[in-house]
Amino acid sequence: MEESKWENLNLDCLVNIFGRRDVESLLLYVSLVCKQWHRATLNPFCWQKLVFPLDISSSRLASAFGAGDSVNISRLIKFVVDRSPGCCSKIVLASVTTIADLVYVSDVSPNLKTLVLPTDHSMLSDHGATISELIAKWKSLEVLESGKCSSMEKIIEQIGLYCKNFVGLSVAGAEIDHKVSVAIVSKHAGIKSLVLERISINTALLTLILGKCNELELLHVRNCTFTRFGFFDEEVDHYVSGIKDFQYQGNVTMPYDVLDLEDLRCLSEEVNAQESSEKS
């Protein structure tokens, strides 16, 4: 009986397997194995999930393609994105991504479902308004992961306006103020997944979010700073009891008041008024 060989696998099988690999693997290893594998990597469906190295400038990918500076890294990003015209469903961007790169991605990848923006990056703080405008191009967006952004409230509102299948939000290294909290609960009360990492938030606002987003199946709260009363009071404990995947790690509570219960009541009334206005 003749032994089966990897290079003789059906092209559709190869595409299915290679579509699970990251960008670096596809470009530097998979495509160089043999002609059949190289031919398979030319299929746009191999490039549905584009995961760039976070520190791309010092990666083997940048070295192999001579992309040691921002100009050549942008060219590399465009080269990869062009391999998946209209097919890309997920992009994890490198830490040196520019706003021009993101604009290009938005034009070539209108069917994006998952967007992971680099955290702790000046692009988010300097170009939040532009990012919010790009949301209108991603009507299929389901999950957004972001760091501290200058227009987070506007971005969340735009997602609620254009992205009807949105189910997951992850925010790292930011401050969740009352406006952002209201935007979350008024536009995304039905989200299934919420990840808060290294954020600062008043526990009254967290109570507001948990009270309104009652369809959560995943809630991860890691290394966050809470102000006012302790997180595990009876009310919050009641909210998280029904969440299937709940993680609470490395968080601290500051012992001073910023927002009292009267403020929380006013916020709830504000959210209810917005919901009534939208329904009418």
Side-chain angles (χ1 to χ4, degrees), residues 18 29 90-91 147 172 193 221 254 272:
F18 297 160
Y29 308 113
K90 177 178 180 177
I91 291 184
S193 171
V221 185
M254 302 300 290
N272 293 332

Side-chain angles (χ1 to χ4, degrees), residues 26-77:
L26 283 173
L27 288 178
L28 299 187
Y29 308 113
V30 174
S31 63
L32 303 180
V33 171
C34 62
K35 292 181 179 179
Q36 175 74 347
W37 284 27
H38 174 73
R39 191 179 304 115
T41 62
L42 298 179
N43 190 309
F45 287 100
C46 281
W47 305 87
Q48 292 184 86
K49 298 179 180 180
L50 305 182
V51 180
F52 290 94
L54 181 61
D55 187 11
I56 193 172
S57 58
S58 61
S59 68
R60 293 181 179 180
L61 189 61
S63 177
F65 282 79
D69 55 53
S70 59
V71 173
N72 286 325
I73 288 175
S74 292
R75 290 175 180 168
L76 174 59
I77 291 174

Side-chain angles (χ1 to χ4, degrees), residues 72-100:
N72 286 325
I73 288 175
S74 292
R75 290 175 180 168
L76 174 59
I77 291 174
K78 292 177 181 179
F79 170 76
V80 172
V81 172
D82 283 342
R83 291 199 163 200
S84 63
C87 295
C88 183
S89 61
K90 177 178 180 177
I91 291 184
V92 179
L93 292 170
S95 59
V96 293
T97 303
T98 67
I99 190 62

Side-chain angles (χ1 to χ4, degrees), residues 170-220:
S170 177
V171 182
E175 180 179 356
I176 305 297
D177 61 15
H178 121 260
K179 291 183 178 179
V180 173
S181 301
V182 170
I184 291 174
V185 299
S186 62
K187 300 295 183 181
H188 305 288
I191 61 172
K192 307 294 184 182
S193 171
L194 179 62
V195 177
L196 304 175
E197 186 166 4
R198 294 184 290 109
I199 65 129
S200 175
I201 186 172
N202 189 282
T203 46
L205 294 177
L206 185 59
T207 302
L208 175 69
I209 293 173
L210 295 180
K212 292 291 184 178
C213 300
N214 50 25
E215 295 183 29
L216 282 173
E217 298 176 357
L218 181 151
L219 175 64
H220 292 178

Side-chain angles (χ1 to χ4, degrees), residues 13 15 19 60 177 276 278:
C13 291
V15 170
R60 293 181 179 180
D177 61 15
S276 299
E278 290 175 0

Side-chain angles (χ1 to χ4, degrees):
M1 182 176 179
E2 186 178 353
E3 184 179 352
S4 298
K5 297 182 179 180
W6 274 94
E7 62 266 28
N8 294 330
L9 273 177
N10 178 278
L11 188 63
D12 289 340
C13 291
L14 289 174
V15 170
N16 184 283
I17 294 170
F18 297 160
R20 304 169 191 269
R21 306 302 301 169
D22 59 27
V23 169
E24 189 170 281
S25 297
L26 283 173
L27 288 178
L28 299 187
Y29 308 113
V30 174
S31 63
L32 303 180
V33 171
C34 62
K35 292 181 179 179
Q36 175 74 347
W37 284 27
H38 174 73
R39 191 179 304 115
T41 62
L42 298 179
N43 190 309
F45 287 100
C46 281
W47 305 87
Q48 292 184 86
K49 298 179 180 180
L50 305 182
V51 180
F52 290 94
L54 181 61
D55 187 11
I56 193 172
S57 58
S58 61
S59 68
R60 293 181 179 180
L61 189 61
S63 177
F65 282 79
D69 55 53
S70 59
V71 173
N72 286 325
I73 288 175
S74 292
R75 290 175 180 168
L76 174 59
I77 291 174
K78 292 177 181 179
F79 170 76
V80 172
V81 172
D82 283 342
R83 291 199 163 200
S84 63
C87 295
C88 183
S89 61
K90 177 178 180 177
I91 291 184
V92 179
L93 292 170
S95 59
V96 293
T97 303
T98 67
I99 190 62
D101 297 334
L102 188 58
V103 170
Y104 189 85
V105 166
S106 70
D107 291 334
V108 181
S109 307
N111 298 315
L112 203 61
K113 293 184 178 180
T114 300
L115 174 62
V116 180
L117 296 171
T119 58
D120 303 320
H121 187 3
S122 60
M123 179 183 70
L124 299 181
S125 57
D126 296 342
H127 301 285
T130 301
I131 296 173
S132 69
E133 294 172 0
L134 295 177
I135 296 297
K137 297 185 178 182
W138 292 313
K139 293 181 173 60
S140 299
L141 191 67
E142 297 177 1
V143 176
L144 173 67
E145 297 184 24
S146 175
K148 183 178 182 179
C149 188
S150 59
S151 298
M152 183 59 69
E153 176 192 359
K154 185 63 176 179
I155 289 173
I156 292 173
E157 290 177 348
Q158 290 291 92
I159 291 174
L161 184 61
Y162 293 103
C163 310
K164 302 306 179 183
N165 297 320
F166 191 78
V167 293
L169 177 65
S170 177
V171 182
E175 180 179 356
I176 305 297
D177 61 15
H178 121 260
K179 291 183 178 179
V180 173
S181 301
V182 170
I184 291 174
V185 299
S186 62
K187 300 295 183 181
H188 305 288
I191 61 172
K192 307 294 184 182
S193 171
L194 179 62
V195 177
L196 304 175
E197 186 166 4
R198 294 184 290 109
I199 65 129
S200 175
I201 186 172
N202 189 282
T203 46
L205 294 177
L206 185 59
T207 302
L208 175 69
I209 293 173
L210 295 180
K212 292 291 184 178
C213 300
N214 50 25
E215 295 183 29
L216 282 173
E217 298 176 357
L218 181 151
L219 175 64
H220 292 178
V221 185
R222 298 188 292 257
N223 301 315
C224 297
T225 300
F226 301 106
T227 53
R228 204 177 161 271
F229 49 84
F231 177 71
F232 279 112
D233 69 331
E234 292 182 1
E235 188 174 17
V236 175
D237 194 31
H238 167 73
Y239 290 138
V240 303
S241 62
I243 297 176
K244 297 178 182 177
D245 187 350
F246 174 60
Q247 294 183 14
Y248 180 82
Q249 302 168 341
N251 305 293
V252 296
T253 302
M254 302 300 290
Y256 55 82
D257 289 352
V258 175
L259 191 70
D260 60 22
L261 293 178
E262 179 62 22
D263 293 322
L264 179 58
R265 184 188 63 78
C266 293
L267 284 174
S268 297
E269 291 178 353
E270 181 180 344
V271 171
N272 293 332
Q274 286 191 15
E275 292 175 346
S276 299
S277 176
E278 290 175 0
K279 291 178 180 180
S280 61

